[in-house]
Amino acid sequence: MQKNRTGTLRRATAAFSLILSLAVLAPFAPKAHAESAVPQSAAQIKLSFAPIVKEAAPAVVNVYARRVVAQRQVSPFFNDPFFRRFFGDQGGFGAPRQRVERSLGSGVIISADGIIITNHHVIKDADEVRVALSDRREFDCDIVLDDERTDLAVLKIKDGTGDFPHLKFGDSDKLEVGDIVLAIGNPFGVGQTVTQGIVSAVARTHVGVSDYQFFIQTDASINPGNSGGALVDMSGNLVGINSAIYSRSGGSNGIGFAIPVNMVKLIAEAAKHGGKVRRPWIGASMQAVTADIAEGMGLDRPRGVLVTRIAKGSPAAKAGLKVGDLVLAVDGTQVEDPNAFGYRLATKKLGGKAELDVMSDGREHMLSIALEAAPETVPRDTREIGGRSPFTGATVENLSPAVAEELSLPSDEEGVVVKTVAPGSPAERVGLQAGDIIASVNQEAVKSTRGLASIAGTEPYVWRVEVSRDGRTLRFAVRG
């Protein structure tokens, strides 16, 4: 009996000592936030993303794109120089055969009548597009809009019920690094899959998969086949379209990129109004601020974008923006490089205004710039060059701010620009590319497509061509 009482007393003393120690140390202990508290009940332990997935997953579809490609068969003897000598470049070919190419991706239904957002690269050059819903129903689709510059496309389900599950748009500008997100798609064609992660960054601008370099980065697992799928927030709203991954192996390395939904909204709106994307244009070119530029301007760090060119008569010129000005923010949102600046403008609606925070001559002030569509100051006069010249197979247009905006060229460029180059054509063989500005041929300035067509009809002994590409001047000579 005495032994039991002694044990009880010792336990009581130890308990009292522990309570006293906790009371003494309590003021010095870090206070835990409610969000990081341990579960306090069985119900909390069972917390799950399942309710969000049940609402969002039915609106995510598998996208199957199909295209037919003509392919000529080549006799194995054609590789022998002896046969090539007698039959030339055209010998040894059999009759053309058709080959079917298929691509697989994902898409997101954004309205009850069956409007779907996916990636441009998922349905590129497709002859047929079909989607499969999570309930295993399948439908053919029409391509309503296909915008390569944003890598987005809009589909419309044919012969649907008109009552499809769909996701609501969120606001990608309200996302913060550390927010939890879910990625839903069809990786590797295994079937609909949901992965969870956080927002790793909100303004990645050097990804290189579209003209508008501004992406949400997430560590939610994204793999081939996820392209065009949904990135949703904890309210079940669509905040991005999964588009690309950074990978050396082809699989997920925890670095995935999604197009912000605020860009998606504009493409969806354009699809409702004729299927043509019209973007704001202010007529100014920008460059990033380096450490040396920042030091020369007396800045504490590199920030903003530097104005390098202003088109005559443009909204930027009318507003008073000048070469050498530093643009720090657009409508109160800071911009750190030209891609971020371009994204902020591209997500604005035409007809409105943008408020720019500008530093000029060391003083900071606000400028209000009208958001207008780029004008077509000269007729395009689109022509495909034929005949026997280095330009045969190239489709060219007269440059104007509208054409320059479409091709992501400086808006004050003039002359003739290459729009497309036919595969296997003489133009491709000499190295011409879309976006090249043809400056002169045999020292004769090229000022219009009509002029280039006239020059291409001549037969000089040597073609000496001068081309402007990405701000560089290239020269080459081709024997006639």
Side-chain angles (χ1 to χ4, degrees), residues 317-334:
K318 293 175 183 176
L321 196 65
K322 304 187 299 294
V323 172
D325 283 352
L326 186 68
V327 179
L328 301 172
V330 178
D331 289 338
T333 301
Q334 291 186 355

Side-chain angles (χ1 to χ4, degrees), residues 246-262:
Y246 179 84
S247 175
R248 294 177 177 175
S249 63
S252 174
N253 286 337
I255 302 178
F257 302 100
I259 298 171
V261 75
N262 288 0

Side-chain angles (χ1 to χ4, degrees), residues 325-394:
D325 283 352
L326 186 68
V327 179
L328 301 172
V330 178
D331 289 338
T333 301
Q334 291 186 355
V335 290
E336 298 296 341
D337 59 34
N339 287 325
F341 179 82
Y343 170 81
R344 290 298 164 194
L345 285 186
T347 52
K348 307 287 181 192
K349 290 186 177 181
L350 288 173
K353 291 182 178 294
E355 301 296 326
L356 305 188
D357 185 356
V358 178
M359 181 180 287
S360 183
D361 300 323
R363 300 177 61 185
E364 203 168 320
H365 63 282
M366 300 298 295
L367 279 183
S368 182
I369 295 186
L371 300 175
E372 302 175 359
E376 196 162 307
T377 52
V378 294
R380 294 176 183 239
D381 192 22
T382 305
R383 294 171 182 256
E384 183 176 351
I385 304 299
R388 299 181 62 182
S389 76
F391 314 105
T392 301

